[in-house]
Short mmCIF file of all heavy atoms in Angstrom, two decimals:
data_model
loop_
_atom_site.label_atom_id
_atom_site.label_comp_id
_atom_site.label_asym_id
_atom_site.label_seq_id
_atom_site.Cartn_x
_atom_site.Cartn_y
_atom_site.Cartn_z
N CYS A 1558 13.59 10.78 33.77
CA CYS A 1558 13.90 12.12 33.24
C CYS A 1558 13.51 12.24 31.77
O CYS A 1558 14.30 12.72 30.96
CB CYS A 1558 15.38 12.43 33.42
SG CYS A 1558 15.93 12.41 35.12
N LEU A 1559 12.30 11.79 31.42
CA LEU A 1559 11.81 11.92 30.04
C LEU A 1559 12.72 11.21 29.05
O LEU A 1559 13.05 11.73 28.00
CB LEU A 1559 11.66 13.39 29.64
CG LEU A 1559 10.74 14.28 30.50
CD1 LEU A 1559 10.90 15.75 30.10
CD2 LEU A 1559 9.29 13.85 30.36
N GLN A 1560 13.11 9.99 29.35
CA GLN A 1560 14.03 9.29 28.45
C GLN A 1560 13.40 8.97 27.12
O GLN A 1560 13.99 9.15 26.06
CB GLN A 1560 14.54 7.99 29.09
CG GLN A 1560 15.61 7.34 28.22
CD GLN A 1560 15.94 5.92 28.65
OE1 GLN A 1560 15.38 5.41 29.60
NE2 GLN A 1560 16.84 5.30 27.95
N GLN A 1561 12.16 8.45 27.15
CA GLN A 1561 11.50 8.06 25.91
C GLN A 1561 10.19 8.83 25.79
O GLN A 1561 9.48 8.99 26.79
CB GLN A 1561 11.20 6.57 25.93
CG GLN A 1561 10.57 6.08 24.65
CD GLN A 1561 10.67 4.57 24.49
OE1 GLN A 1561 11.10 3.89 25.38
NE2 GLN A 1561 10.24 4.07 23.36
N ASN A 1562 9.89 9.30 24.60
CA ASN A 1562 8.75 10.17 24.42
C ASN A 1562 7.98 9.85 23.16
O ASN A 1562 8.57 9.57 22.12
CB ASN A 1562 9.22 11.63 24.40
CG ASN A 1562 9.85 12.02 25.72
OD1 ASN A 1562 9.15 12.24 26.70
ND2 ASN A 1562 11.18 12.07 25.78
N LEU A 1563 6.65 9.90 23.31
CA LEU A 1563 5.74 9.67 22.19
C LEU A 1563 4.91 10.94 22.00
O LEU A 1563 4.47 11.54 22.99
CB LEU A 1563 4.84 8.48 22.49
CG LEU A 1563 3.79 8.09 21.44
CD1 LEU A 1563 3.56 6.57 21.46
CD2 LEU A 1563 2.46 8.80 21.67
N VAL A 1564 4.75 11.34 20.76
CA VAL A 1564 3.99 12.55 20.46
C VAL A 1564 2.96 12.22 19.39
O VAL A 1564 3.29 11.61 18.37
CB VAL A 1564 4.91 13.69 19.97
CG1 VAL A 1564 4.09 14.92 19.58
CG2 VAL A 1564 5.93 14.05 21.05
N ALA A 1565 1.72 12.63 19.63
CA ALA A 1565 0.65 12.42 18.65
C ALA A 1565 -0.05 13.75 18.39
O ALA A 1565 -0.23 14.55 19.32
CB ALA A 1565 -0.35 11.40 19.16
N VAL A 1566 -0.42 13.97 17.16
CA VAL A 1566 -1.23 15.14 16.81
C VAL A 1566 -2.64 14.65 16.49
O VAL A 1566 -2.81 13.71 15.69
CB VAL A 1566 -0.65 15.89 15.59
CG1 VAL A 1566 -1.52 17.10 15.26
CG2 VAL A 1566 0.77 16.32 15.87
N LEU A 1567 -3.63 15.25 17.12
CA LEU A 1567 -5.03 14.86 16.95
C LEU A 1567 -5.79 16.04 16.38
O LEU A 1567 -5.64 17.17 16.86
CB LEU A 1567 -5.62 14.44 18.29
CG LEU A 1567 -4.88 13.28 18.97
CD1 LEU A 1567 -5.23 13.20 20.44
CD2 LEU A 1567 -5.21 11.98 18.28
N GLU A 1568 -6.60 15.77 15.36
CA GLU A 1568 -7.30 16.86 14.69
C GLU A 1568 -8.77 16.52 14.48
O GLU A 1568 -9.10 15.40 14.11
CB GLU A 1568 -6.65 17.17 13.34
CG GLU A 1568 -5.20 17.59 13.47
CD GLU A 1568 -4.60 18.08 12.16
OE1 GLU A 1568 -5.34 18.64 11.34
OE2 GLU A 1568 -3.39 17.89 11.97
N GLY A 1569 -9.61 17.51 14.67
CA GLY A 1569 -11.03 17.37 14.33
C GLY A 1569 -11.29 18.03 12.98
O GLY A 1569 -10.61 18.99 12.63
N GLU A 1570 -12.26 17.47 12.25
CA GLU A 1570 -12.57 18.09 10.96
C GLU A 1570 -13.24 19.43 11.19
O GLU A 1570 -13.89 19.66 12.20
CB GLU A 1570 -13.47 17.14 10.15
CG GLU A 1570 -12.64 16.08 9.45
CD GLU A 1570 -13.45 14.90 8.98
OE1 GLU A 1570 -14.69 14.94 9.07
OE2 GLU A 1570 -12.83 13.91 8.54
N THR A 1571 -13.05 20.33 10.24
CA THR A 1571 -13.57 21.69 10.39
C THR A 1571 -15.08 21.64 10.53
O THR A 1571 -15.76 20.92 9.82
CB THR A 1571 -13.20 22.52 9.14
OG1 THR A 1571 -11.83 22.27 8.86
CG2 THR A 1571 -13.42 23.99 9.39
#
Side-chain angles (χ1 to χ4, degrees):
Chain A
C1558 301
L1559 301 171
Q1560 186 192 0
Q1561 183 163 5
N1562 296 284
L1563 179 148
V1564 176
V1566 180
L1567 301 163
E1568 299 188 31
E1570 279 163 7
T1571 314

